[in-house]
Amino acid sequence: MTGLLNVLEVLFVLAVVGGLAMWSVPAGLILAGVLGVVAVEREQARRREAG
């Protein structure tokens, strides 16, 4: 179930970033960069808790 939620979350974020990029490419790139940093931080926090 968690895997399905992760896939849905990724698809939703891609749709939002893609829609924003069609309106403003620089804003889409900035948002994608920020969301990438957030994703890495979430994964590192999850690994610290597990390990």
Side-chain angles (χ1 to χ4, degrees):
M1 185 68 171
T2 303
L4 177 62
L5 290 176
N6 286 340
V7 170
L8 289 174
E9 181 180 4
V10 168
L11 290 175
F12 176 76
V13 169
L14 286 175
V16 169
V17 171
L20 181 62
M22 287 194 301
W23 179 62
S24 172
V25 173
L29 291 173
I30 290 169
L31 181 62
V34 169
L35 291 176
V37 170
V38 169
V40 169
E41 292 291 330
R42 284 178 59 187
E43 183 62 25
Q44 286 179 348
R46 188 183 67 81
R47 288 187 182 187
R48 277 190 218 121
E49 290 174 359

